[in-house]
Amino acid sequence: LIPSIFFGNLFNSISLVIKVISTVMLFNVFSYTTKNQEITKAVKVFGVPDLLILTVDISIKFVTIIGDVAINILNYLKIRSIGRNKKKRHSIQNILGFLFIKSRNYSEDIYSSMLCRGFNGHYRTRNKKNVMQKIDYVYIAVNALLLTGVFIWRH
């Protein structure tokens, strides 16, 4: 953005920075105040098919697990490497192959554990009344202020 600022596009650069900061703040507040089960429950209330909920729910959990495995593999490779490796492509192919096998094993384990716990492909929600708390009103106020700021800054 620095070249854009120097060439006279200050307003758009500041607007972009404000939008990025507000989006990141909204996402952080949402992720810290909302449990994954509550998101799944809310999506189910809106009538989203169970298969789509299952796919997204498992994918979110799975990406973090596979990401951790990939980071560990890269750290192991870094520790074991001495000097320069001229066959980096071979190492990357081995890592991707290992990740594929690991993710396949994890998916089979997850499926088996879900079957053992009685999951039949349908998400059930309990009709429990949620009462608004003070933190919910603070969350709504912060969201409203950030969204208002973005729209006011735009015009």
Side-chain angles (χ1 to χ4, degrees):
L1 291 177
I2 292 174
S4 177
I5 291 171
F6 287 132
F7 289 115
N9 204 357
L10 179 66
F11 179 76
N12 287 339
S13 299
I14 292 174
S15 176
L16 181 65
V17 169
I18 288 173
K19 288 178 183 179
V20 167
I21 289 172
S22 63
T23 303
V24 169
M25 285 178 61
L26 287 172
F27 183 75
N28 280 336
V29 169
F30 180 74
S31 66
Y32 283 119
T33 59
T34 310
K35 295 179 183 175
N36 194 18
Q37 294 85 6
E38 293 174 358
I39 297 169
T40 304
K41 182 179 170 183
V43 171
K44 179 66 177 166
V45 169
F46 287 118
V48 175
D50 290 338
L51 183 62
L52 183 62
I53 295 172
L54 174 68
T55 303
V56 171
D57 194 27
I58 297 290
S59 297
I60 289 171
K61 293 174 185 173
F62 211 67
V63 165
T64 57
I65 292 171
I66 294 299
D68 289 340
V69 171
I71 288 172
N72 288 337
I73 291 172
L74 290 174
N75 285 337
Y76 297 150
L77 187 64
K78 187 185 216 182
I79 290 170
R80 290 184 65 203
S81 296
I82 299 174
R84 292 187 172 215
N85 184 4
K86 294 181 181 180
K87 297 181 180 179
K88 291 180 184 176
R89 191 175 290 169
H90 182 67
S91 298
I92 291 174
Q93 290 171 352
N94 288 340
I95 291 171
L96 291 176
F98 181 77
L99 279 177
F100 176 74
I101 292 169
K102 199 78 161 159
S103 66
R104 184 169 176 256
N105 292 340
Y106 279 147
S107 65
E108 289 174 357
D109 291 344
I110 288 172
Y111 181 71
S112 298
S113 67
M114 289 174 75
L115 287 179
C116 288
R117 292 183 181 124
F119 184 75
N120 59 1
H122 299 289
Y123 281 92
R124 288 179 235 111
T125 58
R126 295 183 181 148
N127 293 331
K128 180 181 172 185
K129 296 278 184 176
N130 290 334
V131 179
M132 294 282 282
Q133 298 176 357
K134 290 179 183 178
I135 193 71
D136 295 325
Y137 292 112
V138 170
Y139 176 69
I140 291 170
V142 167
N143 281 329
L145 284 173
L146 287 173
L147 289 174
T148 304
V150 167
F151 285 119
I152 289 173
W153 184 261
R154 188 175 184 186
H155 296 300

